[in-house]
Amino acid sequence: MKAQHTTVLDIDHVDTPLLSLRHISKYFGGVQALIDVDMEVRRGEVTVLVGDNGAGKSTFLKVISGVNIPEEGEIRFNGKPVSIHNTLDSVELGIQTVYQDLALCDNLDIVQNLFLGREITRAGRLNEAEMERVAQQCLDELGIEIQSVRANAGALSGGQRQAVAIARAMLGAPDVVLLDEPLANLGLKQRQQVSKLIMGLREKNVGVVVVSHDLAEVFPICDKVVVFRLGEKVAEIQRAEITTERVVAEITGSNTFLDEE
């Protein structure tokens, strides 16, 4: 880590991290989008990635999900070196990603969206009853209140759509869930519902990584904030040290607040 980085360490977390990324660098042509980035993800921990547009946070999320392949660096899962060359590699490790566009099919109902591409069959036919049962159980476990699992996705509110996308990710019993701007374009009540869902994932001992611009909403639910600026990780701030002033100063590179410390 470079000298200008400011890091607050939690000395209580000495166990092996669920996911560890070291010295990750990514280039797009002559542009270096990520520069020597380190980060750890632990079970039951919510990590929020913040930074201006183009800072590198979404690029880093896509490295974990297998969309972007880094030119340099090492990835370990449960302490063992792994290679993530595509999204299937990421999924097989136990990593699920919910992107901002959600990729729900509006013409399909909730059950069909949850099981798209992994339908449950019996004697060569779709087992609709079992899929409905599992879908309802998944929604109930996450505390998602939707009138019917047979409602079309196109008729759902923004918060409900986000909830269904998270439920779909959880069907695979993942160890890590990546959320790209889960609170974007949602009303206050819907943001609160999604925030509650994220806390539910933490309670299930899932490692959660969230990319967000909505600082006020994500601070109360996160365990640490990782700040990106111009492709570099410039700060990792643990929950007890998080303040809006501190994070904004790190995002912008302002020395005023940091010098006061």
Side-chain angles (χ1 to χ4, degrees):
M1 189 174 289
K2 295 178 174 56
Q4 70 267 30
H5 292 188
T6 56
T7 305
V8 180
L9 299 178
D10 184 347
I11 60 175
D12 291 330
H13 286 179
V14 295
D15 55 309
T16 301
L18 176 59
L19 177 65
S20 174
L21 299 101
R22 294 283 180 265
H23 309 297
I24 300 296
S25 294
K26 174 64 184 174
Y27 303 84
F28 293 105
V31 178
Q32 191 165 5
L34 293 173
I35 306 169
D36 194 29
V37 177
D38 294 348
M39 198 182 81
E40 294 180 349
V41 178
R42 298 181 180 275
R43 291 188 180 277
E45 183 178 79
V46 178
T47 301
V48 175
L49 311 184
V50 300
D52 278 338
N53 292 334
K57 56 191 185 298
S58 291
T59 300
F60 188 70
L61 194 80
K62 290 178 180 178
V63 166
I64 304 174
S65 68
V67 174
N68 290 332
I69 313 303
E71 279 73 28
E72 300 169 10
E74 177 189 57
I75 303 175
R76 288 178 175 265
F77 201 85
N78 283 323
K80 298 179 180 180
V82 296
S83 297
I84 301 179
H85 294 125
N86 51 55
T87 55
L88 182 59
D89 287 343
S90 180
V91 170
E92 289 182 343
L93 283 173
I95 301 170
Q96 289 284 343
T97 307
V98 179
Y99 293 105
Q100 188 173 357
D101 60 10
L102 303 180
L104 296 182
C105 298
D106 287 348
N107 61 319
L108 301 181
D109 63 34
I110 293 172
V111 173
Q112 292 169 321
N113 269 284
L114 290 182
F115 287 95
L116 188 62
R118 50 183 174 186
E119 291 82 359
I120 299 175
T121 59
R122 182 179 181 182
R125 303 182 64 181
L126 290 177
N127 191 337
E128 298 284 358
E130 179 64 8
M131 287 192 292
E132 283 191 19
R133 186 193 69 78
V134 174
Q136 189 62 63
Q137 179 181 341
C138 182
L139 296 180
D140 289 345
E141 288 179 354
L142 291 171
I144 300 171
E145 297 181 4
I146 294 179
Q147 187 171 7
S148 171
V149 293
R150 286 303 182 180
N152 268 21
L156 302 178
S157 68
Q160 289 174 325
R161 289 171 63 84
Q162 186 67 252
V164 169
I166 293 173
R168 183 173 61 186
M170 289 302 295
L171 273 182
D175 293 305
V176 176
V177 173
L178 313 177
L179 302 172
D180 184 17
E181 296 288 358
L183 305 178
N185 303 316
L186 298 181
L188 176 60
K189 184 177 180 180
Q190 295 172 336
R191 291 200 303 271
Q192 291 173 340
Q193 291 172 339
V194 174
S195 294
K196 184 178 179 180
L197 272 178
I198 295 172
M199 289 188 287
L201 297 181
R202 178 170 58 191
E203 292 171 1
K204 291 180 178 295
N205 214 27
V206 174
V208 184
V209 182
V210 181
V211 169
S212 183
H213 284 93
D214 200 331
L215 305 184
E217 289 290 339
V218 296
F219 285 173
I221 63 172
C222 72
D223 297 287
K224 67 181 178 184
V225 170
V226 174
V227 183
F228 283 79
R229 188 187 333 128
L230 300 177
E232 293 187 82
K233 171 186 164 183
V234 296
E236 180 175 310
I237 310 170
Q238 299 295 330
R239 184 182 183 90
E241 303 293 330
I242 296 171
T243 65
T244 301
E245 294 79 11
R246 168 79 182 278
V247 174
V248 171
E250 296 286 8
I251 291 173
T252 61
S254 170
N255 293 324
T256 303
F257 178 79
L258 300 179
D259 289 343
E260 291 176 358
E261 295 189 319

